[in-house]
Amino acid sequence: MTRIAIDAMGGDYAPKAVVEGAVWAAMEYNIPIELVGKLYDIERELDRIDQEGLVVGGGIFPARKIKVNTKALDIKKTHASEVIEMGEAPGQAIRKKKNSSIVLAVKSVVEGSSDAVVAAGSTGAAMGASLFGLGRLPGIERPAIATVLPTMKGPLVLIDSGANTDCTPEMLYQFGLMGSAYAKSVLGIDNPRVAVLNIGEEAGKGDELARDTYKKFDENKDKINFIGNAEGKEIFLGNCDVIVCDGFVGNVTLKTIEGVARMFFYMVKQEFYRDPISKVIGVLVKPILKKMYAKVNYEEFGGALLLGVKGITVICHGRSSAYAIKNAVKVAYNAIEAGVNQSIASYYGEKE
């Protein structure tokens, strides 16, 4: 049975939120879990959940506390004596801290004890540990982070959203292939439309990388469903299924979207407290706003897949709550069930 290894020490709210999310996932999805981290901290959190219960709820669902017997769940505990902190240089930390929680979580997949990794700590550490431990898929120069975003017409894959800052046209082309395979195998999009994120739709727009990347895709239209450039304003229109960019642009785009969403809902909330009539209107539309927020809330999506490595790694937001961790486990499980790596390998081979 599929088992998901989770870095219990990664993220702003670890180990509390991570252990809670792991327990929640084990209960809701009946998925075996391996918690990797400082054993004392993990057992302390599990004991607390057994004594106090587990608070569940998130997105549009109200929070409630339920009784839990963690000992009845399939949760394996693996001790890791070290933790890679957010401020550490990933490459040096991975080589120096061989008994860190993220390194041992990846090692569990390498050795076959688990089938995927979920990590909410340092993105660089999670990527580095996965790359060094699992290796790259054949034909892939650099792994990339694929983030699913909502649009007016359906889900969209933004790739790369933070793994690589210095890219070549060939790398961006490979991102497009991986994003297409992911959209097809996991999201169920039959012939994913791929676009390059740029400052204009014309082929000659953008810097040298953007222009050369357009040429690379255009030359391979028989191998990938390339529809041209897409401006930032088109991301949510749903006119494409995969948007390709380097990790610097992708990460800035992603965090800008997150900030705008938070600002919008904050402003709406403030307006509803402006006067008595607005408060009444606010009460009436609150259920609708909750549903809208759930569609753009990163916690609903759980985490983003690191594509291009010989294994499944889900990278979560550093501020991930228990709800986000629970959903990230589901992302990992779905990727395994869909055979996303097999899809990338075969898709790349067939197209190349």
Side-chain angles (χ1 to χ4, degrees):
M1 185 179 289
T2 300
R3 185 180 295 275
I4 311 297
I6 304 177
D7 177 3
M9 313 309 293
D12 296 349
Y13 308 121
K16 182 177 183 294
V18 179
V19 175
E20 289 176 347
V23 170
W24 193 351
M27 292 176 55
E28 184 166 326
Y29 306 131
N30 192 31
I31 297 175
I33 300 294
E34 179 177 4
L35 284 168
V36 184
K38 295 184 177 180
L39 194 58
Y40 172 80
D41 291 338
I42 293 172
E43 291 180 338
R44 181 192 63 203
E45 292 301 327
L46 291 173
D47 289 342
R48 179 184 58 79
I49 292 171
D50 286 332
Q51 295 172 13
E52 301 177 3
L54 179 68
V55 176
V56 298
I60 63 174
F61 304 103
R64 70 186 193 281
K65 184 175 286 189
I66 60 174
K67 292 183 178 180
V68 180
N69 177 14
T70 62
K71 296 177 178 60
L73 301 173
D74 190 349
I75 298 178
K76 178 181 177 182
K77 294 164 284 185
T78 299
H79 178 62
S81 59
E82 299 171 303
V83 177
I84 295 179
E85 305 294 343
M86 292 295 291
E88 294 186 75
Q92 294 178 9
I94 290 168
R95 289 190 291 270
K96 183 180 178 182
K97 296 183 175 181
K98 298 187 183 299
N99 290 313
S100 63
S101 52
I102 183 59
V103 170
L104 293 185
V106 171
K107 185 178 179 181
S108 176
V109 175
V110 175
E111 294 178 345
S113 177
S114 292
D115 302 281
V117 177
V118 170
S122 165
T123 297
M127 178 181 169
S130 298
L131 183 57
F132 295 146
L134 301 170
R136 294 189 298 267
L137 287 173
I140 301 300
E141 188 175 345
R142 294 272 188 91
I145 299 173
T147 300
V148 178
L149 299 174
T151 74
M152 293 181 182
K153 299 178 183 178
L156 173 143
V157 179
L158 176 69
I159 182 169
D160 176 23
S161 58
N164 307 280
T165 55
D166 297 313
C167 297
T168 64
E170 175 62 30
M171 288 166 57
L172 292 176
Y173 174 62
Q174 291 175 11
F175 296 169
L177 290 173
M178 292 193 292
S180 293
Y182 175 64
K184 188 173 182 178
S185 64
V186 178
L187 302 181
I189 301 171
D190 185 49
N191 188 26
R193 299 160 298 172
V194 181
V196 174
L197 189 60
N198 205 329
I199 59 174
E201 295 181 0
E202 298 83 2
K205 285 293 182 99
D207 58 12
E208 183 179 357
L209 174 61
R211 295 193 300 271
D212 289 346
T213 298
Y214 185 101
K215 291 178 183 177
K216 178 68 178 179
F217 275 95
D218 196 49
E219 291 168 357
N220 290 277
K221 273 189 173 181
D222 59 327
K223 303 171 185 175
I224 191 168
N225 187 13
F226 178 58
I227 61 172
N229 289 328
E231 297 181 36
K233 65 182 180 182
E234 299 177 63
I235 291 176
F236 295 109
L237 298 183
N239 295 327
C240 60
D241 306 300
V242 180
I243 285 190
V244 177
C245 57
D246 65 69
F248 181 86
V249 172
N251 196 258
V252 170
T253 300
L254 195 61
K255 290 180 178 176
T256 299
I257 292 169
E258 180 185 333
V260 170
R262 292 179 65 184
M263 181 193 71
F264 172 77
F265 285 102
Y266 172 80
M267 291 174 66
V268 170
K269 184 178 179 181
Q270 291 299 106
E271 285 299 310
F272 286 145
Y273 281 99
R274 189 161 47 88
D275 53 56
I277 295 178
S278 297
K279 288 181 180 179
V280 174
I281 296 174
V283 171
L284 294 175
V285 302
K286 187 176 181 180
I288 298 174
L289 288 174
K290 280 189 173 182
K291 290 180 181 179
M292 288 176 60
Y293 182 70
K295 291 180 179 180
V296 298
N297 182 12
Y298 72 87
E299 293 185 328
E300 294 290 335
F301 299 95
L305 274 174
L306 178 66
L307 300 180
V309 294
K310 294 179 181 178
I312 301 297
T313 297
V314 176
I315 298 176
C316 308
H317 200 296
R319 297 198 306 272
S320 290
S321 64
Y323 185 63
I325 296 296
K326 186 263 294 187
N327 289 335
V329 172
K330 186 65 171 178
V331 170
Y333 180 79
N334 287 342
I336 295 169
E337 290 296 296
V340 64
N341 279 340
Q342 293 89 333
S343 178
I344 289 173
S346 61
Y347 188 95
Y348 194 86
E350 291 171 3
K351 303 301 179 184
E352 287 294 286

